[in-house]
Amino acid sequence: MKKYICLSLLMIVLVGCSPLQKAMKSEDVAYKREVAQQLYDQKKYRKALRLYEQLERVGRGTPDAEMMFFNFANSSYFVKDYMLARERYKLFAAAYPKSAHHEEALLLEIKSTFALSPVYSLDQGFTHATITKLQEFIDTYPASEYAIEANQIMTKANQKLEKKTFENAKQLNTIGGWTRDYTAAIIALDNFIFDYPGTIYKEDALYYKFDSAYNLAINSVYSKMEDRLENAKTMYEALIRFKEDTKYRNQADRMLERVNNDLQQFSK
């Protein structure tokens, strides 16, 4: 029992005498910075952050302050505290516009912002902010060594917005039971195809546009049915022209058969 107590006391003493604890208690700014750098180099970012937080005010204007503040931002990024990392990279870029790390800090601010972007179904404020910042970065540094990475992030951000726009348009067709607004769905899907002509969701959008026109037609009052059936037929043809072997072919063909059958009553 005494052996375990002695070991526990020894561990407490050792922890209490660790470089981090000494540096936390020290008034020596240079020593704090030295220990923080050691911890950073050892990839002990959470521990380094504790010292960088103490150095945030007193470390300004001191030798190596530029590198210290860059590592401060990096440490926040590496522990995935993207909100703080984003602000610290922004502050660093503003404070050190001529730094060799200026472009890198701007890109890392953008990466931190995009890391805060939630799944496509939620608010995309951070995604829009990412795209705005990326455009500024690409315009300012078109030949940047980080240009390829910046464009890759731009692609991912735009894809997320594209998916959100498609899903919102599609939901007008798929959600709501009898309250579904098929006219609004057709307009939204039309707008989506116009805004994203090369979209990977074009086949799906064309199908749901046809499906919306089909349901609108077969549930119409008699006076509007013929025109709406013809419109649905046109949308079927657009789908098949785009992709003859569409994954929706069997379902679309069955729907077209119903459209043609219903149209026969208007040819008598």
Side-chain angles (χ1 to χ4, degrees):
M1 184 66 178
K2 288 182 179 180
K3 181 180 177 181
Y4 291 119
I5 293 173
C6 290
L7 285 173
S8 298
L9 289 171
L10 178 60
M11 290 179 67
I12 292 170
V13 170
L14 288 173
V15 171
C17 295
S18 71
L20 174 60
Q21 294 299 322
K22 285 183 179 179
M24 292 284 289
K25 295 174 183 178
S26 175
E27 298 297 325
D28 187 339
V29 173
Y31 177 64
K32 284 181 184 290
R33 190 170 60 244
E34 179 185 346
V35 175
Q37 184 63 49
Q38 290 173 357
L39 292 168
Y40 180 87
D41 292 340
Q42 294 167 9
K43 299 184 179 181
K44 297 178 179 178
Y45 302 116
R46 291 191 186 280
K47 290 183 178 180
L49 278 168
R50 295 176 66 185
L51 288 174
Y52 285 138
E53 286 164 359
Q54 287 190 347
L55 289 163
E56 189 168 10
R57 292 184 180 178
V58 298
R60 295 185 186 281
T62 59
D64 301 322
E66 178 186 323
M67 204 64 221
M68 183 193 76
F69 282 110
F70 185 62
N71 290 345
F72 187 13
N74 283 340
S75 295
S76 298
Y77 183 83
F78 291 141
V79 301
K80 299 184 179 181
D81 190 343
Y82 298 119
M83 189 66 78
L84 281 176
R86 178 189 185 215
E87 294 306 313
R88 284 167 180 161
Y89 284 125
K90 186 187 299 184
L91 289 171
F92 175 85
Y96 301 99
K98 296 182 180 180
S99 170
H101 297 285
H102 187 258
E103 285 182 42
E104 185 180 4
L106 290 176
L107 183 69
L108 286 166
E109 178 195 341
I110 291 167
K111 290 177 72 172
S112 299
T113 303
F114 191 52
L116 292 167
S117 172
V119 295
Y120 75 88
S121 57
L122 300 178
D123 180 77
Q124 293 301 305
F126 283 117
T127 308
H128 287 290
T130 297
I131 291 172
T132 299
K133 283 284 186 181
L134 276 168
Q135 195 58 61
E136 291 173 0
F137 180 85
I138 292 168
D139 290 345
T140 305
Y141 300 107
S144 171
E145 62 180 298
Y146 304 108
I148 292 176
E149 188 173 4
N151 281 305
Q152 289 172 340
I153 299 169
M154 179 73 86
T155 297
K156 290 178 182 177
N158 279 320
Q159 285 174 343
K160 185 177 282 191
L161 293 181
E162 178 183 327
K163 183 171 179 61
K164 183 178 180 66
T165 305
F166 168 66
E167 292 295 339
N168 285 347
K170 174 184 169 183
Q171 283 181 3
L172 292 170
N173 169 280
T174 59
I175 295 177
W178 291 103
T179 64
R180 294 177 195 175
D181 191 338
Y182 292 116
T183 300
I186 293 169
I187 293 170
L189 289 161
D190 251 343
N191 290 338
F192 171 76
I193 293 168
F194 180 81
D195 291 338
Y196 299 94
T199 178
I200 61 172
Y201 304 109
K202 187 168 183 178
E203 178 185 358
D204 305 280
L206 287 170
Y207 169 73
Y208 284 107
K209 187 179 167 188
F210 167 51
D211 183 77
S212 297
Y214 167 82
N215 281 288
L216 186 65
I218 65 173
N219 292 297
S220 286
V221 295
Y222 187 81
S223 60
K224 295 181 179 180
M225 185 174 286
E226 183 178 11
D227 285 344
R228 288 178 173 177
L229 288 168
E230 291 289 356
N231 190 43
K233 193 171 180 178
T234 299
M235 292 184 189
Y236 166 86
E237 292 166 355
L239 171 63
I240 300 306
R241 275 198 308 273
F242 176 74
K243 191 171 185 181
E244 188 172 358
D245 62 342
T246 174
K247 61 188 176 183
Y248 300 109
R249 185 66 192 249
N250 290 338
Q251 176 64 18
D253 283 350
R254 286 194 294 271
M255 292 159 65
L256 178 65
E257 185 177 356
R258 166 72 185 274
V259 168
N260 286 330
N261 287 337
D262 286 1
L263 276 171
Q264 288 179 3
Q265 64 183 301
F266 297 100
S267 60
K268 295 176 182 178

